[in-house]
Amino acid sequence: MLNKIMKRGQRKSWKSEAIEAPISQSSSASSVTVNHASRLASATPQHVTLANIPLNPGTVDVLPMLRDVPMADRHNLFIRKLQICCFLFDFTDPTKSVREKEIKRQTLAELVDLVQSGSCKMNEVMQEELMKMISVNIFRCLPPAAHENTGSEGGDPEEDEMFMDPSWPHLQFVYDLLLKYVVSSETDTKIAKKYLDHSFVLKLLDLFDSEDMREREYLKTILHRIYGRFMVHRPFIRNAINNIFYQFIFETERYSGIAELLEILGSIINGFALPMKEEHKLFLDYRLADTVIRGVLKFWPVTNCGKEVLFLGELEEILEFTQSAEFQRCMVPLFRQIGRSLTSSHFQVAERALFWWNNEHIVSLIAENRSVILPIIFDALEKNIRGHWNQAIIGLSSNVRRMFLEMDPELFEECQMQHDEKQARDGELKRNRELTWKKLEEVASQVTGEESMIVI
């Protein structure tokens, strides 16, 4: 995925136009120079060299490449190149600072190759300067979202036009540097956590609101790696992500990186070990099972069978992590809906509901509360066995019926008796209704006959 992102990020050609000074630069940038005139990053399809871009004296000069200087000079040259990369440019106008942008891009590409190769082990000063450069480039004010520009509050965010940050040709390399720094075996975590602190993590999380999908993909990977490598940050990262969710739910209702943050949390939750720590239980907050299940039932699809199958699958996954106390709070409305799904004329819906009895955890919850659940769904099972058009549904319903019989014969007999009595009452009501209609038809025919005699 990252390779695809890197390739997509470099599809813009460079123009040899007038050169202007960068937007901002570090205090030492006026004396900083770069020299890798013949080299282009292999990850980019651009056909530009410094030789065919006009030189603008007084801005960014040329330094030798790191591989061309003695080992003793590489540390200082590395820092000077990092200082060059602290220049910020206006990417909204492709005609501005063309040469300087290309110099910075090639410098970043060289630094990425160097960190990846591990040929230049960074001391603490180099790491500090590296993190300063990364912070200067990525921690910025994000451009206004599309709905902010138009002033429209409605609309579907998924239908908005995809935003492509014009500065991505540089940001891509900066993010690549950060990722390689985080995952490198040469990185000392004791030193790195001085710079990858809580403040850095919060600023990184703020960037998840970027509308550029490529940036969010890098952020997702980097934050997940930080979570995995720096255990001291794990509770803080989980709480910070939760705070973003609260803000999204109760305040903004829009946030570009919700999907990526949910992916991170999904991976984190899969890594929880058993028995679970108390902090992990609090993080998951399994007491919300009743609220979540009732919320799913509230939006249950009525006419879309495909969605109903998906809802049944989602509920099964939720129930796998639901404790008995929470299950008891919602089991009555839950199995009323399951009873309706069991008798669906669409066999896939009925089949998906019957497959719940293949899940050991759900069966244990049902067995524990069978005195409440069986009376709710007994009629649905009997209806399927006696009259469903699909033989597979009849077979599965018979299996579930047999399971309840073996589970509690006395309860089963009681439910069978109640079902038979109800059927008898329903039959009597049907006969009375038919007799009533027959009497009405007779009265109506007599009135019609009398009216016809009067007319004659």
Side-chain angles (χ1 to χ4, degrees):
M1 175 62 73
L2 292 180
N3 290 332
K4 293 181 179 178
I5 294 172
M6 292 176 66
K7 291 178 180 177
R8 287 202 301 262
Q10 305 296 326
R11 294 179 178 173
K12 183 174 179 181
S13 62
W14 298 90
K15 299 181 181 179
S16 301
E17 302 289 345
I19 300 169
E20 299 182 13
I23 294 175
S24 63
Q25 59 191 51
S26 62
S27 58
S28 60
S30 60
S31 61
V32 178
T33 55
V34 172
N35 181 19
H36 34 277
S38 62
R39 186 176 182 275
L40 285 172
S42 58
T44 61
Q46 304 177 39
H47 304 288
V48 178
T49 64
L50 295 182
N52 57 29
I53 299 179
L55 178 63
N56 186 11
T59 55
V60 179
D61 294 331
V62 180
L63 279 174
M65 294 185 68
L66 285 161
R67 65 186 180 189
D68 296 333
V69 299
M71 187 64 69
D73 298 332
R74 289 187 180 181
H75 287 184
N76 289 334
L77 184 58
F78 181 87
I79 292 174
R80 294 175 69 187
K81 287 179 178 287
L82 288 174
Q83 291 170 346
I84 283 179
C85 295
C86 289
F87 279 89
L88 301 180
F89 298 98
D90 179 10
F91 284 90
T92 59
D93 186 350
T95 66
K96 289 184 177 180
S97 309
V98 179
R99 179 182 178 81
E100 286 82 354
K101 290 175 183 176
E102 177 62 14
I103 289 174
K104 179 181 177 181
R105 189 192 65 77
Q106 291 191 19
T107 304
L108 287 168
E110 182 188 6
L111 294 175
V112 169
D113 291 343
L114 186 73
V115 173
Q116 184 174 14
S117 66
S119 59
C120 181
K121 187 173 182 180
M122 291 187 289
N123 56 33
E124 187 169 351
V125 175
M126 295 168 69
Q127 293 182 53
E128 181 180 4
E129 291 297 324
L130 174 67
M131 294 307 300
K132 282 181 181 178
M133 184 277 290
I134 290 172
S135 299
V136 165
N137 280 273
I138 67 173
F139 297 144
R140 66 205 190 281
C141 292
L142 297 174
H147 71 279
E148 294 175 346
N149 287 331
T150 59
S152 173
E153 293 296 333
D156 186 354
E158 295 183 0
E159 295 181 358
D160 293 341
E161 184 178 351
M162 184 179 294
F163 172 74
M164 308 289 280
D165 195 323
S167 63
W168 185 248
H170 285 191
L171 284 176
Q172 170 192 317
F173 288 116
V174 178
Y175 276 117
D176 216 14
L177 268 172
L178 177 56
L179 177 59
K180 287 176 171 55
Y181 174 72
V182 171
V183 303
S184 174
S185 59
E186 299 292 331
T187 300
D188 187 341
T189 55
K190 293 181 180 179
I191 296 176
K193 70 181 181 181
K194 295 180 182 179
Y195 314 114
L196 298 171
D197 56 8
H198 288 180
S199 175
F200 185 90
V201 170
L202 282 178
K203 292 177 182 178
L204 208 63
L205 283 167
D206 287 339
L207 293 173
F208 273 84
D209 200 22
S210 169
E211 290 197 308
D212 194 319
M213 186 183 299
R214 301 167 300 181
E215 183 169 15
R216 297 199 305 270
E217 283 293 323
Y218 261 104
L219 287 165
K220 179 181 70 175
T221 304
I222 291 168
L223 184 64
H224 195 194
R225 296 288 187 162
I226 291 174
Y227 183 92
R229 189 160 189 187
F230 299 88
M231 295 184 65
V232 67
H233 290 336
R234 291 183 179 181
F236 179 81
I237 291 174
R238 293 196 298 267
N239 289 333
I241 293 176
N242 278 343
N243 289 337
I244 291 176
F245 289 158
Y246 289 139
Q247 185 180 23
F248 169 74
I249 294 169
F250 298 110
E251 296 180 15
T252 63
E253 296 185 357
R254 290 190 73 124
Y255 195 87
S256 299
I258 291 295
E260 287 79 11
L261 291 174
L262 286 172
E263 287 185 51
I264 294 173
L265 285 186
S267 180
I268 289 173
I269 292 169
N270 286 336
F272 285 169
L274 295 175
M276 291 182 64
K277 298 179 181 178
E278 189 61 31
E279 61 177 301
H280 292 168
K281 292 180 181 179
L282 293 173
F283 169 70
L284 290 172
D285 201 352
Y286 53 84
R287 291 169 295 181
L288 291 175
D290 174 42
T291 304
V292 172
I293 289 173
R294 288 178 184 271
V296 172
L297 294 175
K298 181 180 178 181
F299 297 98
W300 197 268
V302 178
T303 59
N304 191 318
C305 296
K307 284 186 178 180
E308 190 169 1
V309 171
L310 293 175
F311 270 55
L312 288 166
E314 190 68 25
L315 276 179
E316 182 178 357
E317 291 187 18
I318 295 171
L319 288 175
E320 286 181 353
F321 300 97
T322 302
Q323 304 301 314
S324 178
E326 301 304 312
F327 177 77
Q328 290 171 1
R329 292 194 181 101
C330 61
M331 61 184 177
V332 172
L334 173 61
F335 277 88
R336 283 176 181 164
Q337 177 56 58
I338 296 304
R340 290 190 288 270
S341 297
L342 287 173
T343 57
S344 173
S345 58
H346 195 290
F347 82 95
Q348 289 181 334
V349 174
E351 182 182 58
R352 190 66 187 80
L354 288 163
F355 279 168
W356 276 24
W357 275 264
N358 292 336
N359 188 302
E360 292 183 5
H361 181 67
I362 294 178
V363 169
S364 67
L365 292 173
I366 292 173
E368 185 180 350
N369 301 277
R370 59 187 179 274
S371 60
V372 176
I373 294 173
L374 181 56
I376 295 174
I377 65 169
F378 190 89
D379 291 347
L381 293 173
E382 290 295 315
K383 182 179 179 180
N384 278 354
I385 293 171
R386 294 182 182 183
H388 201 283
W389 66 271
N390 187 280
Q391 288 298 319
I393 301 303
I394 295 174
L396 289 171
S397 299
S398 299
N399 293 339
V400 173
R401 184 179 184 274
R402 189 182 308 112
M403 188 181 297
F404 277 111
L405 176 59
E406 295 172 354
M407 199 181 290
D408 194 331
E410 293 182 3
L411 175 63
F412 186 89
E413 290 297 328
E414 182 181 346
C415 290
Q416 183 71 64
M417 187 186 307
Q418 292 175 356
H419 174 76
D420 293 342
E421 291 175 356
K422 184 180 178 181
Q423 289 293 104
R425 289 195 302 269
D426 291 344
E428 185 66 23
L429 287 173
K430 184 178 180 181
R431 285 191 294 273
N432 290 338
R433 190 181 301 111
E434 290 174 350
L435 288 173
T436 301
W437 279 109
K438 187 175 182 180
K439 289 178 181 179
L440 287 172
E441 289 173 357
E442 291 175 354
V443 171
S445 62
Q446 290 175 1
V447 172
T448 304
E450 292 175 358
E451 290 177 351
S452 61
M453 289 175 65
I454 293 172
V455 171
I456 294 172

